Structures are given as structure tokens and as C-alpha cells.
Amino acid sequence: MLCGISGEAPQEPVASKKSGVVYEKRLIEQYVNEHGTEPSTGEALTVEDLLPITSSRIARPRPPTLTSIPALLATFQNEWDSLALETYNLREQLARTREELATSLYQHDAAVRVIARLTKERNEARDALSRITVSGANADEMAVDTEGLPEALADRVDQVHQELSKGRKKRPVPKDWVTPSQVAAFEVTATNALPVAQTTSLDTEGAYAAIGGLQGQAAIYAVAADSLEREISVGEPATTTLWTGSKLIFGTSNGGLKVFEAGNQVAAASEHAGPTTGLSIHPSGDIVASVGTDKGLILYELDSLKRVSRTYVDASLTTVAFHPDGHLVAAGTVTGDVKLYMTKTLEQAAVFKLGAPIQALAFSENGFWLAATAKGQNSVTVFDLRKEGDAATAKVLETGGAVESLAWDFTGQYLATAGPSGLTIQQYAKGAKKWTEPFRNSTGAVAVRWGESGKTLVAVNGDGVVSVVGVKA
């Protein structure tokens, strides 16, 4: 007999007078009290309709194997043997895993040591190479430090030079470009503190600005919206920033270049033995130049980020800039020299001297002026590329404070300067052949760039605070 509710043998069986089904008494009584019906048929049922069933109680027998002490001992012995075997297998497996882990850790440690040794040897070789100076009658024959551009890129440099230089003099000022009266009315229109500590550099592209810092963080700022557009983790201290098209490039303190698109790293290179100190893009958009404290000037093909040309100089380099026509590249040294090289061959074309470590360089869009400033100097020197020696100094512009960054506008009329004491705009009137200073304020900055149509200046200080200067609407 099995209970119609639990399906088990009832301890106190009762039967329904209406259906004859057997139930456990406590279960059916509880069901009737709650529902008032019989579980199997659904008919009305009361406790009085239940008929007790009496039968002899039979104790459930124990399993045959557990009916005696010897059988119990044998069962326990079997369980113990199984447990002992399982424990042994687990210990054996643990020992093998430990051996494999120790072997892997040893191999990893050995690989790290080999990589560290090779990296050290490479850096020492680069440093030794950068210290080599050639002197004597056969110096020209022994100059082996320079690598020229491949033929295809050299032809591209020539093509861009011809195209840009041909139309430069006839190029009109864009209709919507900023006017002198608007520049004179410039004021701070927005400030925004971005999450980039120890900011070192800034570059702009369209209506956006990118900044990088020594804590390995970078950020993209929407100028018109005055908002943080995106944060980027560079992973290494960012010493310099370059934005060209869709590619955002950071030079790092480890001597590398990292390229980002849409916030994701897409390429990297490491050619300098010391920190990368400057970046510049060729007018063609195909070649990137970098300089570093290892005294190296390196040209890369942008798409592959492969080194295509290199030369070493006699001093650490601080900054670099391409001529707007692309046939020249200028590099500043810690000894106060501004060295000009032919882009195709990296042969030295000219040297200008400032007497102190070069802080910033900027070519004018007119094609024949180069602005430079040195550490500790409260002025900007404008060199005329058409002249040599002392005659090459076209103008010395007093800024009233140290200058850390320079930026010419697209028309070559305005030269923006930035430093701890503030921002200035130096204007050259071509008709009057005269320099003036239509704008000056006390917004300290480490870098400055022109915004769209020259109607804004974007500057950033060392704490990551971006300031936008322009005409208030």
C-alpha cells in the first residue's frame, strides 16, 4: 500500500470511503482541512469520510551487507582504501603541476633576463654610435651615420615640394580667416580641467584638441562644445603629441612612438635609445619625423611606422619641425643650434645659433621664415631661410617671459607664443613690413595651437587645464 499523496508506504494508513484510495493520515487530514476535497478525485471529503486501516507493523530490514560487524568493518575498509587512493592521486597530480609551474617560471625569468640584456646592449650601442664624431681629411668619406629616404618616398618629397612651393606666393588668405581686429578682441572663452596630470604637449585637428602627460594618460577635448570627448591610456609617459588626420601619435619617454585611431592603439615603434622629445608630420602626410635625447633624427613611413631614414648629430635633440613645403626638416639641440637638413638625404643644409637649449621651432607658411626660442630666453628669434650667418636673423620678438611653445597660423600673419607668464600673438603686416603685438594675456601654458580659421587659440598648462582664447559670441 502506498499513500496517494506522498507515494510512500504510510505509517498510519487511512482509506477514503468514497474512492477507496489509501492515504497517510496526517497528510490527508491536512489536505482536507485546507481544501475540503479529495486529492485524487476532487470530490468533497471530510475527516469523517476517512477509514483507518490496521495492519501488523514490519520493521524494514537492513541491507544484507550491513547486518554484522565484520560486514561493517569491510565496508569501512573499502571506503578508506578508496579515499587513500584518491588522496595519493591528488598529491601526485599536485607534484607534477608544481614541477611544470617551476619550469615555466624559470623559462620566463630566463627570457626576461635575455631581453633585458639585449635591450641594454642595444641602447649602449645606440648611445656609442651617437657619440661617434668623424674628423680628419677623410671625414666626408667616413660619414656613415646617415640613411637617405628610399627612392619612392624621395620622389614623393620632390613632388610635394614642387606643388606647394609653386602656389605658395599666390595663395590668398581664406575669406573666413580671423582679422586683426578680431585678434585684438581675443579673450578667454572657456577653460576645462582635463584628467591628464603633468601635461607636456598639445595638438589640434579640426574642432578637437589632444593632450598628453607624463603619467601615461591622454585626452581628447572638443573645443566648440568645451567638453572632454575621450580619455586614452598611452601606457607610458607621453612627452610629445602629434595629430594628423585620423591618427593620434604620442612620443614616449622610453624612446617609442604609439599611434592611436578611435581611441585604440594601432601601431608602435621604438627607435630611440632615450626619450622621444619631438614629432612632426611631413606636408604629404606620408612621413613622420621624431627626435630624441639619443641625438637621433628619424623619419618613419606613417602607414607602416617603419624607419625609412635616420641620422645622428653631435648633441641631444629637443624638437623637430618640417618646412611647409616638405623639402627641409629642422631640429633643435641642447647646445643651442637649430640644424636644417634636406629631407631626402638628411644632409645638413644650414645651422642657426641661439646659444641655449632650443625650446620650440615653427616654420611660417610664407616658406622663408623659421621662428625659434631657447630655454631661459624671453624672446623669439625669426630666421630668414634665404640668408646665412648673422644676416639670417630677421627679427627678435620680445615676449616679456619665457616661451615654451610656438605656433604660426595658416596665413603666416600671426605667431602665437605660450609660456609660464602667458600667451601672446605677434602679427606681421606685410604691407607695412612691421611687427605688432595685438594680443597678450596672463594664461600660463606649456603648449599652444591655432583652432579652426584662426579664430581660436587652444592652450594647455602643466596641470591639464585647457584654455580656449577667441572672440566671444
Side-chain angles (χ1 to χ4, degrees):
M1 294 186 298
L2 299 178
C3 173
I5 296 177
S6 66
E8 297 180 355
Q11 299 296 318
E12 190 176 357
V14 294
S16 170
K17 294 180 180 179
K18 295 184 176 182
S19 65
V21 177
V22 176
Y23 298 100
E24 177 70 54
K25 182 179 180 181
R26 57 184 177 80
L27 294 179
I28 188 61
E29 287 182 350
Q30 182 178 352
Y31 187 90
V32 168
N33 291 334
E34 291 180 359
H35 302 282
T37 60
E38 187 171 351
S40 59
T41 63
E43 297 180 358
L45 187 71
T46 64
V47 176
E48 287 75 15
D49 295 327
L50 300 175
L51 179 66
I53 300 176
T54 57
S55 63
S56 59
R57 295 181 176 275
I58 300 174
R60 295 179 181 178
R62 293 181 179 180
T65 56
L66 302 178
T67 54
S68 65
I69 291 179
L72 288 172
L73 292 176
T75 300
F76 292 153
Q77 184 65 52
N78 292 336
E79 291 292 332
W80 172 258
D81 292 345
S82 299
L83 183 60
L85 288 173
E86 182 180 1
T87 303
Y88 173 78
N89 291 332
L90 289 175
R91 287 181 177 177
E92 190 177 39
Q93 184 178 359
L94 177 60
R96 286 197 302 268
T97 303
R98 282 178 173 173
E99 291 177 358
E100 293 173 359
L101 179 59
T103 301
S104 299
L105 290 176
Y106 175 78
Q107 292 175 345
H108 177 268
D109 183 64
V112 169
R113 290 175 181 271
V114 170
I115 292 172
R117 178 175 58 80
L118 293 176
T119 302
K120 181 180 179 182
E121 291 176 357
R122 182 202 67 179
N123 293 342
E124 289 176 350
R126 284 182 177 174
D127 186 60
L129 184 62
S130 68
R131 296 174 184 274
I132 293 176
T133 56
V134 180
S135 60
N138 297 324
D140 292 338
E141 298 178 5
M142 297 177 63
V144 295
D145 287 341
T146 299
E147 304 170 6
L149 283 177
E151 184 177 354
L153 284 176
D155 292 342
R156 177 64 173 151
V157 170
D158 284 338
Q159 178 187 357
V160 171
H161 177 210
Q162 292 174 4
E163 293 174 355
L164 295 179
S165 61
K166 183 183 300 184
R168 186 168 301 283
K169 291 183 179 180
K170 299 179 181 179
R171 187 176 67 189
V173 175
K175 292 183 180 180
D176 60 344
W177 204 257
V178 66
T179 63
S181 60
Q182 290 175 324
V183 171
F186 271 12
E187 57 182 303
V188 177
T189 60
T191 59
N192 199 318
L194 302 184
V196 180
Q198 294 180 276
T199 306
T200 57
S201 51
L202 159 77
D203 204 5
T204 56
E205 180 70 22
Y208 296 90
I211 66 173
L214 294 180
Q215 295 298 319
Q217 296 296 319
I220 296 177
Y221 170 74
V223 178
D226 184 28
S227 63
L228 174 64
E229 185 74 11
R230 174 178 291 163
E231 293 185 51
I232 299 174
S233 177
V234 181
E236 299 176 16
T239 54
T240 183
T241 303
L242 173 64
W243 199 345
T244 173
S246 63
K247 295 184 177 181
L248 183 56
I249 308 173
F250 297 99
T252 71
S253 64
N254 295 332
L257 271 66
K258 292 193 172 185
V259 182
F260 290 80
E261 284 192 81
N264 300 314
Q265 183 175 325
V266 296
S270 181
E271 293 288 345
H272 292 288
T276 303
T277 55
L279 293 173
S280 184
I281 184 71
H282 188 267
S284 66
D286 298 330
I287 302 172
V288 175
S290 74
V291 294
T293 58
D294 64 345
K295 309 177 185 179
L297 166 60
I298 300 175
L299 304 184
Y300 307 82
E301 184 180 27
L302 178 58
D303 289 340
S304 63
L305 210 62
K306 178 183 177 182
R307 187 188 81 227
V308 292
S309 186
R310 176 176 61 186
T311 189
Y312 286 97
V313 301
D314 56 358
S316 296
L317 299 173
T318 59
T319 183
V320 65
F322 274 109
H323 187 278
D325 291 340
H327 64 299
L328 293 174
V329 58
T333 71
V334 295
T335 56
D337 293 338
V338 178
K339 296 178 178 287
L340 272 67
Y341 297 90
M342 303 303 296
T343 302
K344 290 171 52 177
T345 60
L346 288 186
E347 294 177 352
Q348 186 171 300
V351 178
F352 301 132
K353 296 184 179 295
L354 282 183
I358 305 302
Q359 191 74 33
L361 295 174
F363 280 100
S364 170
E365 284 291 330
N366 64 19
F368 51 82
W369 277 350
L370 170 63
T373 185
K375 190 173 183 180
Q377 295 182 356
N378 297 336
S379 62
V380 176
T381 302
V382 179
F383 295 102
D384 191 332
L385 302 180
R386 298 168 296 184
K387 301 178 182 179
E388 298 180 358
D390 295 337
T393 301
K395 184 68 176 178
V396 177
L397 303 170
E398 297 295 336
T399 60
V403 178
E404 296 188 12
S405 181
L406 298 171
W408 285 96
D409 79 316
F410 175 73
T411 65
Q413 299 178 83
Y414 309 106
L415 174 62
T417 73
S421 60
L423 304 173
T424 75
I425 297 178
Q426 311 293 325
Q427 179 188 356
Y428 179 74
K430 187 175 181 180
K433 296 183 179 181
K434 183 180 179 182
W435 285 91
T436 59
E437 185 182 88
F439 173 79
R440 174 190 292 268
N441 79 353
S442 58
T443 302
V446 297
V448 65
R449 290 293 183 271
W450 288 94
E452 291 185 305
S453 299
K455 293 183 178 179
T456 57
L457 271 182
V458 184
V460 65
N461 66 15
D463 297 323
V465 178
V466 174
S467 300
V468 180
V469 178
V471 179
K472 282 192 175 181

